Amino acid sequence: MANCLIDNFEKNVFNDEVMKERLSSEVYTKLKMAIDNREKLDISIADEVASAMKGWAIEKGATHFTHWFQPMTGLTAEKHDSFVSFDKNKKMILEFSGKELIQGESDASSFPSGGLRQTFEARGYTTWDCTSPVFLKETKAGVTLCIPTIFCSYTGEALDKKTPLLRSIRAINQETIRALKEIFNVECNKIDVSVGPEQEYFLVDRDKYLKREDLIFTGRTLFGAQAPKSQAVEAHYYGTIKENVLEFMKEVNIELWKLGVYAKTQHNEAAPAQYEIAPIYNTVNIATDHNQLTMEALKRVARHHNLEVLLHEKPFKGVNGSGKHNNWSLITDSGKNLFSPGKMPHENNIFLFFLTAVIKAVDENALLLRMASSGPGNDFRLGGHEAPPAIISIYLGDQIGDIVNQIINTGDAKTSKKGDVLNTGVDSVIAFRKDATDRNRTSPFAFTGNKFEFRMVGSSESIACTNIMLNGIVADSIREMTDEVVINKKNVREVIKETLTKHQRIIFNGNNYTEEWKKEAKKRGLPNAVSFVDSIKALIDPHTIEVMDRNKIYTKTELESRAEIYYGVYAKTINIEAMTMIEMASKQYIPAVIKYMDKLSETIVNVKQASNSADTTVIEKLLNDTSILLLEAKEALENLKEKVAIAETKPEGVKRALFYRKEVFTIMGALRYPIDKLELLVDADLWPVPSYGDLMFN
Ligand code: ADP
Ligand code: MG
């Protein structure tokens, strides 16, 4: 019987099974050792591996191959080469050599480098990363063999997000293995950073999408009055999924299964037209690739169904935004999850040690995490009533929170709270023991049973940045705590107690959405960067530079280049939004409002002509209200044009970004305000673009 899951799973992945089948056992063993990070990749096997990949890919219809990499745009990049070549008799042959597999050279000057590379020193190298599987991209347009690679400059600096990610995996491996061995006497050769990203997105009708320049150019609506019904009744969350959406989801799942993505969960999210897809967790390197492939598949498949996917963090003002919950844990090569509390967490020193290391790391680097999980779009979401605030705090839950309190207050923890039996009052259902801890959906960084769920990450962001920083800061924190035990000869419980006492301010179990928490957090000295621009400085903070350099994840120069890129990204993003607003206001909204005023004026004249005694006060009032708002809009429009022109004269970097944030962004709000009011006044037939209601309820 045909089954679209079984029939398709890993169909397009050069997986272990295919490797075993197509490689000699000697080459297979060498490659496997490298994949498992146990040995350096042996270059002599490259030709045989490339030849096997070529054979496999060609049988499946591939005509091209590409090095697939993740430059600092946050997207993926590819440059296709066909397998075509010729032999000495000028006869066409298909070729893919070991060298082509291992290394690519590209004129990379058009990728952002943040000053790492001048245009006249444009060489960039892509190098095969065998720890992420090779796969086939199969679309209606053909099949391409994709080789996951890292991307570095001529001088070896990372020009991408994968190189630092791999470095961070090495760092956290090194420190975790050391701690396990030297403190707890546990032999471990390798740990996996496990990550399961839950991806939220909006789905809208493509014809309507195409009528909105703001959605096309910026991914979010820059204008739009609230629909009469938004999410107030919460009817959408977990609601029955509509059939056309299910058809779309089915195709996405099949595409992802083919690529070996464990696409698992799908459901309606809180806002109308909002959905979520989540895979089962994977090792962070593969999870990062898979999340990129998931975003691509969502976008591509939507178009087959005349739909459009919006990955922006806040496509609609006043409506729930989209995030990407980054579930994160550390698992040893014997399958032990280091964040598994076990039955007696208060006695579980390994668990308490690693938990404490995370608490310390998050407290010491909160602003960095805020930065790493965001882009300009996340500003609209953080601090909204539905998403975590821009302040980072950790939720531990009742059970672990209680243990931490015992340790801080009494120096030791003697008991662990137990989950009660769930009392439903219904005899026919099985009674079971609840989790010892409830959830806290308001927390940006929640301990959820055996993993941390970092909810701040923006829906359009690559998860690489977040996990690079998370791995790096936790590695450093583990190292410091291990030194306390191993070098300073302190008892491990004592180190845990000292560290928790020092960093307890980051723990918060209450409601993160309240004003009181904002005040309390300020008292505790926790950073609250409302804007992404204000968080970028965390990248070049001396503490960050020290931690990242010590753990060989980023050099100072690499961090500086990233800061420069982000300031540029911020300025460009707001520039594009402002220009789009100017265009829409000038060419669409204002002409539509004038048409409406014309219609009203004509009506007044006509009514008066028809009857001397007829009262036109209401129509005149409408005309007057409209003209007041129109004037307000026109003034803001002119102001916005001026401000953008000034912004572009500011020196690139932090100055320009701040000008865009403080000046341009504010005027954008001043332009939106009257236009949104006008939308509620003006005849719907005259309104030039689909409304929030049209976009979200169809
Ligand atoms: P929740 O409903 O609490 O968010 P789920 O079980 O739905 O939790 O899991 C959410 C995501 O977390 C999924 O991608 C899941 O595979 C992932 N996940 C579960 N356990 C772990 C773990 N130990 N490490 C990392 N991710 C995990
Ligand atoms: Mg979740």
Side-chain angles (χ1 to χ4, degrees):
M1 196 184 67
N3 179 308
C4 66
L5 200 177
I6 301 167
D7 298 345
N8 286 301
F9 196 76
E10 287 198 343
K11 196 175 131 194
N12 287 342
V13 184
F14 194 74
N15 62 10
D16 195 60
E17 213 175 296
V18 182
M19 286 192 285
K20 248 190 215 144
E21 187 187 303
R22 292 182 180 253
L23 297 171
S24 66
S25 70
E26 185 201 352
V27 168
Y28 169 80
T29 311
K30 282 187 174 164
L31 180 56
K32 188 87 180 116
M33 294 292 264
I35 290 172
D36 291 344
N37 274 325
R38 288 176 208 278
E39 252 170 45
K40 268 198 142 155
L41 185 63
D42 178 347
I43 275 204
S44 69
I45 67 170
D47 279 328
E48 185 181 324
V49 176
S51 164
M53 284 175 181
K54 181 185 73 180
W56 172 76
I58 285 170
E59 279 168 34
K60 288 179 166 281
T63 52
H64 290 70
F65 69 91
T66 181
H67 278 195
W68 185 73
F69 57 105
Q70 301 181 20
M72 293 188 278
T73 52
L75 305 168
T76 61
E78 46 195 74
K79 172 180 146 245
H80 299 184
D81 275 298
S82 77
F83 293 114
V84 76
S85 191
F86 51 82
D87 65 10
K88 56 181 184 298
N89 302 319
K90 289 276 178 229
K91 199 169 155 298
M92 194 280 272
I93 53 165
L94 298 172
E95 198 175 57
F96 180 53
S97 68
K99 184 159 179 288
E100 285 170 309
L101 164 65
I102 289 180
Q103 180 197 322
E105 195 249 304
S106 62
D107 172 3
S109 53
S110 296
F111 293 104
S113 77
L116 278 181
R117 190 176 15 67
Q118 308 289 331
T119 31
F120 57 87
E121 297 168 343
R123 255 182 231 274
Y125 291 104
T126 51
T127 313
W128 177 33
D129 163 25
C130 70
T131 60
S132 182
V134 162
F135 59 92
L136 297 174
K137 251 194 201 180
E138 184 191 350
T139 68
K140 285 181 185 155
V143 183
T144 304
L145 175 69
C146 295
I147 319 289
T149 59
I150 61 168
F151 180 44
C152 290
S153 75
Y154 191 72
T155 43
E157 274 137 347
L159 293 174
D160 67 345
K161 294 189 184 252
K162 282 309 270 302
T163 310
L165 182 64
L166 295 178
R167 292 175 185 162
S168 78
I169 295 170
R170 190 200 38 71
I172 200 161
N173 257 275
Q174 180 183 313
E175 299 309 332
T176 308
I177 291 169
R178 171 180 174 233
L180 284 173
K181 185 170 182 176
E182 298 194 10
I183 304 178
F184 302 105
N185 216 0
V186 172
E187 269 308 319
C188 167
N189 292 310
K190 185 187 172 208
I191 58 122
D192 276 337
V193 181
S194 295
V195 168
E198 303 165 58
Q199 174 77 49
E200 294 176 344
Y201 61 94
F202 278 84
L203 200 56
V204 298
D205 179 86
R206 186 159 158 78
D207 291 333
K208 289 182 187 136
Y209 164 88
L210 288 172
K211 293 202 173 107
R212 294 213 48 145
E213 285 181 22
D214 47 4
L215 287 180
I216 295 172
F217 294 136
T218 75
R220 73 179 180 103
T221 55
L222 299 167
F223 299 96
Q226 300 293 308
K229 174 182 169 188
S230 65
Q231 69 203 54
V233 284
E234 303 201 327
H236 194 254
Y237 192 58
Y238 278 16
T240 309
I241 307 172
K242 283 189 289 192
E243 193 167 2
N244 69 324
V245 175
L246 271 176
E247 280 168 14
F248 153 79
M249 287 176 168
K250 177 180 173 186
E251 196 184 329
V252 169
N253 284 329
I254 291 175
E255 291 298 304
L256 293 178
W257 290 333
K258 280 186 197 166
L259 295 168
V261 179
Y262 295 101
K264 175 88 176 166
T265 310
Q266 60 195 27
H267 62 81
N268 287 3
E269 255 301 326
Q274 192 187 28
Y275 304 90
E276 177 179 304
I277 179 168
I280 302 179
Y281 65 88
N282 210 323
T283 54
V284 62
N285 186 23
I286 296 174
T288 302
D289 286 0
H290 282 183
N291 183 250
Q292 291 287 0
L293 293 172
T294 302
M295 291 194 284
E296 274 179 45
L298 288 170
K299 283 250 160 214
R300 189 166 54 80
V301 171
R303 295 181 178 192
H304 300 166
H305 300 260
N306 203 34
L307 295 165
E308 188 70 32
V309 159
L310 308 177
L311 291 172
H312 194 283
E313 285 74 16
K314 197 79 170 180
F316 303 100
K317 190 179 170 187
V319 175
N320 203 69
S322 299
K324 179 140 52 189
H325 297 175
N326 190 80
N327 294 274
W328 181 95
S329 73
L330 299 173
I331 299 179
T332 70
D333 51 3
S334 59
K336 182 179 168 58
N337 180 347
L338 297 176
F339 298 110
S340 216
K343 287 211 166 62
M344 303 288 221
H346 67 286
E347 290 175 358
N348 187 342
N349 278 348
I350 294 188
F351 165 72
L352 290 172
F353 179 86
F354 287 100
L355 178 92
T356 303
V358 174
I359 292 171
K360 170 176 153 65
V362 174
D363 185 34
E364 286 175 348
N365 302 278
L367 193 61
L368 182 67
L369 286 177
R370 153 71 173 96
M371 186 265 131
S373 58
S374 298
N378 219 14
D379 285 357
F380 303 101
R381 173 177 165 256
L382 302 182
H385 59 85
E386 89 287 344
I391 308 163
I392 295 204
S393 67
I394 299 182
Y395 171 77
L396 292 176
D398 293 344
Q399 188 194 40
I400 308 303
D402 174 62
I403 292 171
V404 165
N405 283 341
Q406 289 182 54
I407 295 176
I408 293 173
N409 297 335
T410 70
D412 201 7
K414 299 251 169 6
T415 54
S416 298
K417 284 188 177 178
K418 294 262 176 299
D420 295 331
V421 170
L422 184 69
N423 182 3
T424 59
V426 178
D427 290 337
S428 56
V429 302
I430 296 169
F432 61 89
R433 201 168 268 284
K434 305 189 273 196
D435 295 299
T437 290
D438 199 359
R439 286 168 183 264
N440 181 336
R441 284 178 51 103
T442 71
S443 176
F445 204 104
F447 180 69
T448 47
N450 63 355
K451 62 184 191 290
F452 284 95
E453 183 171 351
F454 186 30
R455 301 201 179 104
M456 192 176 260
V457 188
S459 50
S460 67
E461 290 300 310
S462 156
I463 57 168
C465 263
T466 289
N467 289 299
I468 293 165
M469 297 308 182
L470 207 46
N471 295 345
I473 60 176
V474 174
D476 201 62
S477 168
I478 295 172
R479 180 194 54 77
E480 234 180 89
M481 287 173 62
T482 308
D483 282 353
E484 288 289 290
V485 179
V486 176
I487 299 174
N488 297 339
K489 305 283 177 227
K490 286 187 187 163
N491 179 289
V492 63
R493 292 291 273 212
E494 195 186 327
V495 174
I496 290 171
K497 177 184 185 255
E498 275 177 18
T499 314
L500 285 175
T501 309
K502 192 162 164 210
H503 297 288
Q504 56 182 308
R505 65 169 185 171
I506 196 79
I507 300 168
F508 179 61
N509 286 334
N511 183 352
N512 283 258
Y513 296 170
T514 62
E515 279 306 309
E516 290 86 76
W517 168 235
K518 267 194 211 158
K519 283 185 208 138
E520 166 70 18
K522 195 168 178 194
K523 245 193 261 163
R524 294 190 190 183
L526 300 176
N528 181 10
V530 178
S531 160
F532 176 60
V533 189
D534 300 329
S535 70
I536 298 174
K537 61 174 185 277
L539 269 177
I540 41 175
D541 183 272
H543 174 72
T544 306
I545 294 174
E546 197 186 314
V547 170
M548 292 300 147
D549 191 54
R550 182 162 49 227
N551 290 281
K552 301 195 168 48
I553 296 169
Y554 282 118
T555 62
K556 181 165 180 264
T557 322
E558 286 171 335
L559 285 168
E560 284 165 351
S561 73
R562 267 108 191 130
E564 197 178 315
I565 288 173
Y566 286 125
Y567 284 123
V569 165
Y570 188 84
K572 279 185 202 128
T573 305
I574 306 296
N575 174 268
I576 294 169
E577 291 189 349
M579 298 306 280
T580 307
M581 285 188 98
I582 292 169
E583 166 110 0
M584 288 176 80
S586 318
K587 302 230 173 105
Q588 295 187 304
Y589 293 121
I590 293 180
V593 174
I594 293 174
K595 254 190 221 152
Y596 177 62
M597 289 171 69
D598 188 43
K599 204 171 146 189
L600 288 176
S601 317
E602 216 174 285
T603 314
I604 296 169
V605 174
N606 288 347
V607 171
K608 282 197 170 148
Q609 235 169 35
S611 149
N612 268 337
S613 59
D615 185 359
T616 53
T617 332
V618 173
I619 316 174
E620 280 167 34
K621 168 112 182 42
L622 259 178
L623 184 59
N624 193 39
D625 290 352
T626 308
S627 78
I628 291 170
L629 288 167
L630 181 64
L631 183 64
E632 198 182 325
K634 178 68 179 156
E635 277 170 6
L637 174 64
E638 294 310 318
N639 200 351
L640 183 58
K641 283 186 198 164
E642 272 168 38
K643 285 279 160 27
V644 173
I646 300 173
E648 289 300 298
T649 66
K650 299 280 164 201
E652 277 183 45
V654 59
K655 287 219 173 77
R656 189 181 292 185
L658 279 174
F659 189 87
Y660 268 105
R661 168 72 192 174
K662 292 202 179 112
E663 304 286 336
V664 179
F665 184 69
T666 319
I667 310 291
M668 284 164 58
L671 174 57
R672 177 174 187 151
Y673 183 80
I675 303 267
D676 287 359
K677 289 224 142 175
L678 283 163
E679 184 178 348
L680 298 174
L681 280 183
V682 173
D683 224 341
D685 289 344
L686 292 176
W687 202 246
V689 301
S691 68
Y692 271 23
D694 294 335
L695 285 164
M696 280 185 280
F697 289 94
N698 280 298

